[in-house]
Amino acid sequence: VMGKYLLKRILLFLPTLFVISLLVFGLSRAMPGDPAERLTGIIDFDGDPTVEAVLQTHYERTYRHLGLNLPGFYFSLRPAATNADLSLVLNPREREPIISLMYETGEPEKVINYYLASRKLISAYRRTDIPCRTDILEKGDILAISMLNSIAQIESAKRNFAEVIMEYGCTDDEIASEWLRTAAKLIESRRGTLWWMPVLKWNGIDNQYHRWVKNITSGHWGYSLRDGRPVGSKISGTLNYTLVISFWSLFFTFFLGIPIGLYLGTSENQRVKRIVRSLVYAFYALPLFWLATLCVIFLTTDEYGSWT
């Protein structure tokens, strides 16, 4: 009987734990703000192109290191038009125009190929040793090609870019030619009739939830958004204070609380019992956060005397 009871409790515990983990994970992902942006301290990338490239590279590495580019769960259900590997899009600001292009064209793979070619062209723009410098175009035109969200904008950018590279004799530039080819394929694409059909996609274990559970069980609990330190090291560094406070809390509970309770239950002195009971109720009614704040103020510094 005991074995069946334990087995039943375990079988109830596992799905309950799974549902709770899903709720906690979902709430952590629903919090406003960008963790990668907080950790890198980046608000925007406007400014000098060299500094901009370094900041954006740092941001994207942090974004990938945190696994934020991965799908959220083991499977996903989304329209066929967006059924592509969005983990390749490391900058979340570029995902919205990419998804808009997918809905317009119904060709998710072609959109991803165009995006990757655009990133190569942007990287080539920032280098100084490539055979055909792409800075013959204005800076804004080059840096914005991965953010274009409609076929009309891509067609205009392709036409302008093709005219310039032909005028400057840059038709042999492999990176520029690759971008022109992917842009042309995207422009020529026509959306099919079943682009809206939902597709169930298995993402495998390489997803945010699996990595989150794995990190929790292995003791890697992420990084503090305040100072970037590992959460585990911050907890271990202050654990001794928690143990001391817990010890004294248990000490007062057993060596003060229990004797007082026994006295109130056995003593016949009603006057003393009323006084003690009133004091106990008064202490019990004190808000813990207020009392804890007073303890921090008076018992962690010597500003109010050496005795504190």
Side-chain angles (χ1 to χ4, degrees):
V1 178
M2 181 60 68
K4 291 183 179 179
Y5 175 78
L6 290 176
L7 181 61
K8 181 179 179 181
R9 301 305 298 179
I10 292 174
L11 293 178
L12 288 175
F13 168 75
L14 292 178
T16 303
L17 181 63
F18 175 69
V19 172
I20 292 175
S21 68
L22 287 178
L23 291 176
V24 174
F25 173 77
L27 290 174
S28 67
R29 292 303 183 269
M31 292 178 61
D34 185 350
E37 188 174 85
R38 290 285 300 274
L39 288 175
T40 54
I42 297 175
I43 303 301
D44 56 59
F45 303 131
D46 295 334
D48 182 79
T50 304
V51 177
E52 177 185 358
V54 174
L55 292 177
Q56 183 159 337
T57 301
H58 187 198
Y59 169 79
E60 292 179 356
R61 286 178 178 175
T62 305
Y63 194 80
R64 183 174 60 251
H65 178 70
L66 295 177
L68 298 176
N69 61 309
L70 299 176
F73 199 58
Y74 296 103
F75 59 87
S76 57
L77 184 65
R78 54 192 181 191
T82 61
N83 188 24
D85 188 7
L86 291 175
S87 66
L88 299 173
V89 185
L90 298 180
N91 193 327
R93 301 182 183 182
E94 297 175 342
R95 287 199 174 192
E96 185 175 349
I98 291 299
I99 293 176
S100 297
L101 280 174
M102 290 179 178
Y103 278 122
E104 182 178 359
T105 62
E107 296 284 355
E109 296 301 330
K110 290 183 180 180
V111 174
I112 290 295
N113 292 335
Y114 164 80
Y115 168 78
L116 296 177
S118 300
R119 292 303 303 265
K120 285 184 180 180
L121 189 59
I122 292 174
S123 299
Y125 166 81
R126 294 186 173 120
R127 295 201 303 267
T128 57
D129 56 347
I130 59 174
C132 176
R133 286 295 306 277
T134 53
D135 57 1
I136 51 181
L137 287 180
E138 293 182 2
K139 167 192 168 185
D141 295 335
I142 290 294
L143 298 184
I145 57 176
S146 62
M147 301 286 286
L148 303 180
N149 60 2
S150 69
I151 292 297
Q153 293 178 353
I154 294 177
E155 190 171 10
S156 175
K158 173 182 174 296
R159 182 171 56 252
N160 296 335
F161 188 41
E163 292 176 356
V164 173
I165 63 174
M166 290 180 62
E167 179 180 352
Y168 284 82
C170 302
T171 52
D172 295 333
D173 183 9
E174 182 179 351
I175 297 177
S177 300
E178 180 182 359
W179 183 83
L180 288 172
R181 287 195 301 269
T182 57
K185 290 180 180 179
L186 196 59
I187 294 172
E188 296 170 357
S189 63
R190 294 294 180 268
R191 188 171 64 186
T193 56
L194 298 178
W195 62 271
W196 52 269
M197 283 289 293
V199 176
L200 183 64
K201 182 178 181 181
W202 173 251
N203 299 317
I205 62 174
D206 196 16
N207 59 77
Q208 294 185 39
Y209 175 76
H210 185 87
R211 177 177 291 194
W212 181 76
V213 173
K214 182 180 178 181
N215 289 339
I216 288 178
T217 55
S218 62
H220 180 65
W221 299 334
Y223 302 92
S224 169
L225 296 181
R226 181 179 297 273
D227 54 18
R229 290 175 53 198
V231 173
S233 65
K234 298 191 70 172
I235 292 177
S236 62
T238 56
L239 188 60
N240 57 328
Y241 299 106
T242 302
L243 294 177
V244 170
I245 293 173
S246 300
F247 169 78
W248 285 110
S249 175
L250 292 174
F251 176 83
F252 287 122
T253 298
F254 284 103
F255 292 97
L256 288 180
I258 294 178
I260 291 175
L262 292 174
Y263 175 78
L264 292 176
T266 58
S267 176
E268 297 180 357
N269 192 335
Q270 297 298 323
R271 181 180 180 183
V272 176
K273 288 176 64 175
R274 284 196 297 269
I275 295 174
V276 174
R277 187 180 292 112
S278 299
L279 291 175
V280 171
Y281 286 157
F283 278 108
Y284 189 75
L286 291 176
L288 288 181
F289 68 90
W290 176 77
L291 184 61
T293 303
L294 292 182
C295 290
V296 170
I297 293 175
F298 290 106
L299 302 180
T300 59
T301 67
D302 56 0
E303 294 182 2
Y304 302 95
S306 58
W307 66 276
T308 63

